[in-house]
Amino acid sequence: MSLAVQIRQHGGPEELHLVDVAVGEPGPGEIRIRHHAIGLNFIDVYHRTGLYPLSMPATIGMEAAGVVEAVGEGVTHLQVGDRAAYASQPPGSYCEARVMPAKCVCRLPDAISFETGAAMMLKGLTAQYLLKKTRPVEGLQPGDHVLFHAAAGGVGLIACQWAKALGLQLIATAGTDAKCQLALANGAAHAINYATEDFAARVKEITGGKGVKVVYDSVGKDTWDKSLDCLRPFGLMASFGNASGPVAPFAPGALGAKGSLYVTRQTLFSHIATRESTQAMADDLFAVVASGQVKIHIDQRYPLAEVQQAHRDLEARKTTGSTILTL
C-alpha cells in the first residue's frame, strides 16, 4: 500500500485527498519507484481544476525522485536500487510509491540529492527545451535579448542562470520588486515588475527600440497581447503555460501586421516522447547543474499531507523558485 493524493472531481485545493492505494508489480516497460521527494508544478493545478481534464479518480503530480524497487520486462536502463528522477506522463507522482512507465525515468547522478532531483526535472527539462530547442528562425547568439515571464518561478530561475551561461541577455518579468531582485541575482540582465511598469515599453527601451527575438511565456492571457508587441520582426512567441488563464483566440493576420511573427505552443511531453530524447535532455540538465552554472532553488517544502496549502500558496503566487512535497 501507498499513501497518495487523489482527486475525485475537478475543483479547488479542497478536492485533494490523502488516501491509501494498492501498488502492484511493474509490467513490461514499467518500474516501481519509492519516492523520497515530489515536485510541485503549475501543471498540477491545471489537472486539479480540469483545465487539463483527467479521468476520475486521479492521482496528480508529474515529477519526483526516489529509488527503483522493481523493474519490469524489457527495461534495461534502470536496475533495482538505482537512484532515479523523472518528469513523466501519466500524472501520479503525489504518492509514496507508484508503478509507472520507465522510458522517462532517468538515473539520478550521485552528486544530485533526491530533493534537488525532484525539484528540477520538469522545470529544468522545460528550461532546456525552451533555450536549446525553441528558438526563433534567425537563431540565438550570445548577446541577443530574450524576454522571460514569471522569471522568479521554478522554471524562470533555472532559465535566468542557463541563459546567462549561454551568453543571452535575458529580460525577466515578475509581479513584485522582490521577485525582480531574485531574477537579477540569478543571472537576468534586466528585470521588470509588470505589476507597476508597462513591460512592453520597458522592453523597447532596453533593446533600443528593436524588440526581442523570442518571448517565453507561461503566464498566458494577461501577458499575451503586450508580449507580441515586444518582438522584433520575425520574432518568436513561445507559449508554454496558462497561469493567468488560456490565451483568447486571435486573428493570424495580426502576426503579419506586427512584423511577420511566429507563434508556437510548446509542451515538455512532446520533447520527451522517446527514451533517447529524454536521456539526452536530462544529461544536458545534469551537466549544467553539476557544473554549478545552474543552481536549483528549493524555496518551499510542504509535507505531503499539507498539499492543499501548497496548492493555495502556488496559485496565490506566494512561492518562488521550486517547491517540493516531502515524505
Side-chain angles (χ1 to χ4, degrees), residues 39-41 63 108 111-128 152-162 182 186 282 284-301 320-324:
L40 182 76
N41 295 283
E63 175 183 50
L108 186 64
I112 299 176
S113 71
F114 288 119
E115 287 198 349
T116 299
M120 77 180 211
M121 290 299 286
L122 189 143
K123 291 171 277 288
L125 293 175
T126 297
Q128 198 276 347
V155 176
L157 289 184
I158 294 171
C160 286
Q161 297 172 77
W162 210 333
L182 187 59
N186 281 274
D284 195 19
L285 173 61
F286 293 153
V288 78
V289 170
S291 73
Q293 291 177 301
V294 170
K295 294 179 172 62
I296 307 301
H297 296 275
I298 302 174
D299 293 338
Q300 298 80 212
R301 291 172 172 83
T320 57
S322 296
T323 301
I324 61 168

Side-chain angles (χ1 to χ4, degrees), residues 5-323:
V5 174
Q6 284 191 344
I7 55 174
R8 302 185 185 98
Q9 62 183 12
H10 294 297
E14 69 279 0
E15 298 299 336
L16 298 165
H17 302 285
L18 199 61
V19 298
D20 281 311
V21 296
V23 182
E25 296 298 318
E30 295 181 332
I31 63 161
R32 186 173 71 240
I33 185 169
R34 183 158 298 275
H35 293 147
H36 285 234
I38 300 159
L40 182 76
N41 295 283
F42 225 97
I43 192 173
D44 306 344
V45 174
Y46 302 156
H47 285 144
R48 192 202 74 224
T49 61
L51 180 62
Y52 300 166
L54 300 174
S55 299
M56 298 297 154
T59 302
I60 65 171
M62 307 299 293
E63 175 183 50
V67 174
V68 177
E69 285 192 331
V71 175
E73 180 184 351
V75 176
T76 58
H77 69 286
L78 294 167
Q79 298 178 357
V80 172
D82 280 349
R83 303 171 75 254
Y86 66 85
S88 178
Q89 295 274 31
S93 69
Y94 283 16
C95 63
E96 294 176 320
R98 68 182 293 202
V99 170
M100 64 179 296
K103 72 175 184 178
C104 290
V105 183
C106 299
R107 289 184 65 185
L108 186 64
D110 291 341
I112 299 176
S113 71
F114 288 119
E115 287 198 349
T116 299
M120 77 180 211
M121 290 299 286
L122 189 143
K123 291 171 277 288
L125 293 175
T126 297
Q128 198 276 347
Y129 83 69
L130 291 173
L131 294 173
K132 296 291 190 73
K133 298 184 176 184
T134 312
R135 292 177 163 232
V137 67
E138 296 179 335
L140 287 174
Q141 289 80 38
D144 283 344
H145 287 94
V146 303
L147 179 63
F148 206 104
H149 289 306
V155 176
L157 289 184
I158 294 171
C160 286
Q161 297 172 77
W162 210 333
K164 183 177 181 180
L166 295 171
L168 301 174
Q169 298 288 303
L170 185 144
I171 304 171
T173 71
T176 68
D177 289 343
K179 288 184 175 183
C180 286
Q181 288 302 313
L182 187 59
L184 290 169
N186 281 274
H190 306 273
I192 303 167
N193 182 342
Y194 50 31
T196 59
E197 296 185 81
D198 181 335
F199 72 81
R202 281 283 290 126
V203 165
K204 286 298 178 69
E205 180 183 325
I206 290 166
T207 60
K210 294 180 180 179
V212 298
K213 279 190 172 182
V214 59
V215 176
Y216 297 112
D217 187 0
S218 63
V219 176
K221 176 174 64 70
D222 290 353
T223 50
W224 183 263
D225 290 335
K226 283 193 174 182
S227 291
L228 294 177
D229 293 333
C230 292
L231 288 164
R232 62 194 294 174
F234 310 111
L236 174 65
M237 179 67 186
S239 171
F240 67 103
N242 325 272
S244 66
V247 175
F250 64 94
L255 302 176
K258 292 179 183 294
S260 300
L261 304 179
Y262 293 80
V263 171
T264 182
R265 177 57 166 93
Q266 295 285 307
T267 174
L268 171 63
F269 303 106
S270 298
H271 290 277
I272 59 172
T274 68
R275 163 99 284 277
E276 293 75 19
S277 62
T278 302
Q279 193 63 57
M281 291 171 64
D283 287 344
D284 195 19
L285 173 61
F286 293 153
V288 78
V289 170
S291 73
Q293 291 177 301
V294 170
K295 294 179 172 62
I296 307 301
H297 296 275
I298 302 174
D299 293 338
Q300 298 80 212
R301 291 172 172 83
Y302 301 83
L304 185 61
E306 295 179 13
V307 64
Q308 291 186 3
Q309 188 60 47
H311 271 236
R312 291 188 185 99
D313 290 349
L314 181 64
E315 288 183 277
R317 302 189 184 185
K318 293 181 179 179
T319 64
T320 57
S322 296
T323 301

